[in-house]
Amino acid sequence: DAGVIQSPRHEVTEMGQEVTLRCKPISGHNSLFWYRQTMMRGLELLIYFNNNVPIDDSGMPEDRFSAKMPNASFSTLKIQPSEPRDSAVYFCASSLTPGGAQPQHFGDGTRLSIL
Amino acid sequence: TQLLEQSPQFLSIQEGENLTVYCNSSSVFSSLQWYRQEPGEGPVLLVTVVTGGEVKKLKRLTFQFGDARKDSSLHITAAQPGDTGLYLCAGDDSGGGADGLTFGKGTHLIIQP
């Protein structure tokens, strides 16, 4: 079975540029999560969707960040304009439901470097 | 948002030794999960504990959920180099509702051959 697929795996760009990260969840999973991981702050939840609807975006750092889920098999996280402090590894995860007893299946992440 | 403190942050031991890492909070969780993350990959679920006092074993790994469901521990017996990785605990304080998980910062574990 295919797991969560993220692209690109690595992204290096200059500050001010728009960055789009992509995620394909596991088929049949109704919940999708976007996380950011840094050494200083660990793994932080940015936003999550249930049945393609954003449920909680309180973790989104600021208006430069936006996320969409146009259908059950695709989501994007966009940063515009990007800044050096956005450099991190961004993970997408999916689960059957948002409940904590359900395991979350993570992709391998996108390592983002903003110069 | 509930805070999960993991300790130690870093641990480096020799192959064959035993170790315990901890995950603590002042808040009660409906359930708690442990994940292991290897370099260049996403976290992978190891176990979910739900009941206070619950103990689960996964080969040489023993997971315990505190009686009050505020803390958890992971004990590894006879550690092997393949156990090396970042161990993350994640708590669900939603009562089964719509909130996501809260992750600790993790314990970086290195097992030296």
Side-chain angles (χ1 to χ4, degrees):
Chain A
D1 290 338
V4 174
I5 299 172
Q6 291 187 245
S7 65
R9 286 299 312 274
H10 300 89
E11 175 92 14
V12 181
T13 191
E14 293 186 345
M15 65 177 294
Q17 297 297 308
E18 179 178 291
V19 173
T20 300
L21 311 181
R22 297 173 175 79
C23 176
K24 177 179 168 56
I26 292 174
S27 177
H29 281 192
N30 296 316
S31 299
L32 182 140
F33 306 82
W34 281 101
Y35 291 91
R36 178 172 65 178
Q37 187 176 40
T38 61
M39 279 296 294
M40 288 294 294
R41 300 173 69 91
L43 198 62
E44 301 175 281
L45 177 66
L46 300 177
I47 186 172
Y48 78 92
F49 296 84
N50 193 38
N51 294 322
N52 312 338
V53 176
I55 302 300
D56 183 359
D57 65 355
S58 59
M60 296 285 262
E62 48 197 272
D63 292 345
R64 298 184 297 107
F65 285 68
S66 62
K68 294 182 179 179
M69 191 164 186
N71 57 62
S73 59
F74 184 66
S75 177
T76 59
L77 177 67
K78 188 172 293 188
I79 309 173
Q80 167 63 21
S82 58
E83 296 182 4
R85 62 191 167 124
D86 301 330
S87 298
V89 182
Y90 290 80
F91 286 100
C92 174
S94 71
S95 68
L96 283 171
T97 68
Q102 288 288 337
Q104 292 191 11
H105 299 261
F106 285 77
D108 285 338
T110 294
R111 183 172 293 276
L112 178 63
S113 296
I114 308 297
L115 306 177
Chain B
T1 300
Q2 312 295 352
L3 192 62
L4 278 169
E5 300 280 353
Q6 290 193 244
S7 60
Q9 277 188 284
F10 299 94
L11 182 61
S12 178
I13 63 171
Q14 295 294 125
E15 180 178 2
E17 294 184 14
N18 301 333
L19 66 107
T20 302
V21 298
Y22 301 91
C23 174
N24 294 300
S25 175
S26 58
S27 304
V28 176
F29 290 97
S30 303
S31 64
L32 194 138
Q33 299 179 352
W34 283 92
Y35 291 78
R36 180 168 67 208
Q37 183 179 15
E38 299 189 22
E41 299 181 6
V44 176
L45 181 69
L46 296 173
V47 76
T48 301
V49 286
V50 178
T51 305
E54 182 176 3
V55 176
K56 281 193 174 178
K57 292 192 174 185
L58 188 65
K59 297 184 181 178
R60 294 174 294 99
L61 279 60
T62 301
F63 304 85
Q64 184 161 10
F65 202 12
D67 291 341
R69 305 205 318 275
K70 294 182 178 182
D71 54 82
S72 182
S73 63
L74 159 58
H75 182 79
I76 301 179
T77 304
Q80 298 178 1
D83 296 327
T84 293
L86 175 64
Y87 287 81
L88 296 160
C89 65
D92 166 37
D93 59 357
S94 65
D99 293 334
L101 291 172
T102 299
F103 280 82
K105 291 186 179 180
T107 293
H108 295 263
L109 177 64
I110 297 174
I111 309 300
Q112 303 188 29

